[in-house]
Amino acid sequence: MIRATFKSLLARKLRLVLSGLAVVLGVMFVSGAFVLTDTLGRSFDAVFSTAYSQTDVGVAAKPKVEVSEFEGEEAAAPFPTSTVDKVAAVPGVAKATGYVSTDGARLIGDNGKVVTSFGPPQLGESWNPDDELIELREGRGPTADNEIAINATLADAAKVTLGEKVGVLTREPRQDFTVVGIFGYSGGRDSLGGVQQVEFTPPVAQKLMLGETGVWNGVIVKAASGVSHDKLRDDIAAQLGGDYEVKTGQQLADEASGSLKQGLSFFNNILLGFAGVALFVGIFLILNTFSIIVAQRTRELALMRAVGASRRQMIGSVLIEAVVIGLVASVLGLGAGVGVGALLAYAFGSLGGGLEMASVGVPAAAVISSFVVGLLVTVVAAVLPALRASRIPPVAAMQEVATPDRPLTKVTVAGAIVGAAGGALLALGLSGKAGGDWTLWTILGGVLVTFIGVALLTPLISKPVVGLLGRIFSWSVPGKLGRLNSGRNPRRTAITAAALMVGIALVTGVTVLLDSAKSSITKLAENTINADLVIAGVQSGPRPPTFDPAVLGEVKAIPGVHTATGMYADLGTVNGEKQYLTAVTDVDALRDVYRAEPSSGTISSLGPDQMLVDSSTATDMGLSVGSRLTVQLSRGEAHTYTLSGIYKESDLYGGFVMPEQATKDFAMPQPTQGFIQLDPGTPVSQVERQVDRLLADSPEVSVADRSKFIEQQTSGFDQILTMIQILLALAILIAVLGIINTLALSVLERTRELGLLRAIGLRRAQTMRMITVEAVVISMFGAILGVVVGTGLGAAVVRALRDDGITELVLPWSQMGLAVVLAAIIGVVAAILPAIRAARLNVLGAIAHE
């Protein structure tokens, strides 16, 4: 039986290739994700190991507010020079060196724009001539207040050479410096991990990066010969007390690398999610393939039953084929995944500013997941066809018609039950009643089960819908034949179309959600923001773009300007709870800009020790006018404020509002947005040009009218949608393979029928048109089904998020129509090879085919 199975498998090589290709693509995504994260992880291990190689023990003050990587950038906590002296006095310390190193030094390139960084920090540091890691390439270290040295990575990105004068943005507005040195690191490296570094003299670094002179934010400790690093760490920690974090260099390297790996794991999960979608679609392809094969081999399998093969052997025969296909596909997918992972790692290193990549490795997780996933997908997809094969009676060997159509009652009832279960899961997840940790999994499970339910219901509607679509092409004999062929086997048509349905449904659903969110925010902003011009930038990193606060005073002096208000932002704690905080230069003007109305107290002005809050937050925290609030900002000491007013909750603006005096302790003490109101009749474009000139030294931001500002702030939705569409293209590609596979096997199944059609006058071109119509009808059916299901899922999510501010339901009609048109094109492309094969059939040989 095993020999017969392998002979059957090798006799149908095309089937083997097409069946396995879907698994290869899915496994490629899975293994590629693990290879990529493993390679990047080891690369970062090497970077941080080098960075802390000269640090035996490191000392830093505990941050005032702990910030996660998803909340923004943690502000460094400065400490006085006396702390360095305390550390140096600890027995076992050979040398203690205070330093400044914190993110936020942005150099302005020769094009007048800030040099961007795709991930690695932009460090502003104090120059240390004794740093053994640094190798000067050109020039010298900075010695004067107007001099800086930069690393070679930054010099290359900014196209800056020695002796040039450049602008640098820090906690303070732009200041100009002369580049007196360009440095790198041992081994010819231009940077450590793509980090951009600007080195100032120590006093300037203290002032610009920490806000005051005479302070540091870190100490590098070298241990005396023979002194244990762990013991020295404990001794220093005991000397300094609980306000400081003291760690060995190895600990610092491990923690820094671990933090980045945590972000990589999130990225890895996204890739694995899309791999799961691709493999889910692949199940439809494999299921259809084995179903067709079982149907084609009915007489062969029946003869095996007649000569003594048991039902268990029949099931084993089909499952052995699945295991072989799964093994071959897993090996090929693993190999392709290693290549893709290496390519993505190289691209990541290039975009990251020259991160030196570790050698590409194949972690055990990539190998294990590849074979587990590859085998599991193929075997699961082959179970139903295997059971069907075992039920073929021996008498079928004597019949011409091998597999009559079976009633759709059972599959329809199963589809209704599964679909209802999926809808219930989805509703539970969207309602938020599943519990915080289970909400996402409940929603994803609901979507998956819903897709399965729809797939089971598809055969019921395939015949009427396909028949209706086929009438578009029924103006010729080939068109009529193609329509009839596409509807003759509802189950096969449904499974083929369902694969395409999943990909298009996901794209459509995400498009509905993002377009609805974008439209809701746009409408809300248009109805809420009462400003003629807005100064702002698009945040692409941990820090929001900022501008010189002096610009606001200059703007107020422009003729026709009624008010100019600045807004600052920070993350702090209020009564021990982490909160996003804003501060404003003019509360009255901000009230007009956001059309804020008082709920209780007054919101017209703020004293230096007063705060405002929205009504929703006040209710949640049990606050009322007169409440005393202890606020800890990113810098400085905790301060007590009095709640002087509560304003009505808004979907666009909320939270705590602080006085302008508090911004000195913000992580970035510069405004992130500015709102300008003009006198009636003042030309907006005229004032816009003048404001634009005032922002010449603040290149991270620009000025725009209200509509352009809203468009700028919602542009991120389009980028997210494009990324999702690219990743889901793999699922759609697998669906196309499914159509090709179905048609190719269908041509083999109908060899004799095609020969008879050719014999009675159907020409080659007409044969090809017939196959093409069949493919186009099936793919359009899948696309329409995907659009309908995706629209329904997207609308359900939008409805569930109504209370969160997504109030507008937007249906992307143009994209939905484009999906159907593209499906027709996909059908034409998918039909090329099967149509050519059908047209080339030898007429006499086809008629004699059994």
Side-chain angles (χ1 to χ4, degrees), residues 502-555:
V502 172
I504 291 181
L506 289 173
V507 171
T508 303
V510 171
T511 303
V512 169
L513 175 60
L514 292 181
D515 282 359
S516 298
K518 184 177 178 179
S519 177
S520 300
I521 293 173
T522 298
K523 183 177 180 180
L524 181 64
E526 288 175 344
N527 294 334
T528 302
I529 298 177
N530 181 28
D532 298 293
L533 292 169
V534 181
I535 300 172
V538 178
Q539 185 170 348
S540 58
R543 298 174 309 278
T546 60
F547 61 96
D548 187 348
V551 169
L552 294 171
E554 296 172 332
V555 169

Side-chain angles (χ1 to χ4, degrees), residues 195-226:
V195 173
Q196 297 177 3
Q197 291 168 277
V198 179
E199 303 280 329
F200 305 94
T201 59
V204 173
Q206 293 167 345
K207 180 70 170 64
L208 297 184
M209 304 308 301
L210 301 178
E212 55 183 314
T213 57
V215 293
W216 309 99
N217 72 299
V219 182
I220 296 175
V221 179
K222 295 291 290 184
S225 178

Side-chain angles (χ1 to χ4, degrees), residues 430 520-521 524 651 797-807:
L430 293 174
S520 300
I521 293 173
L524 181 64
D651 288 327
V797 174
V798 170
R799 180 65 184 85
L801 296 176
R802 189 175 187 84
D803 294 338
D804 295 320
I806 303 181
T807 56

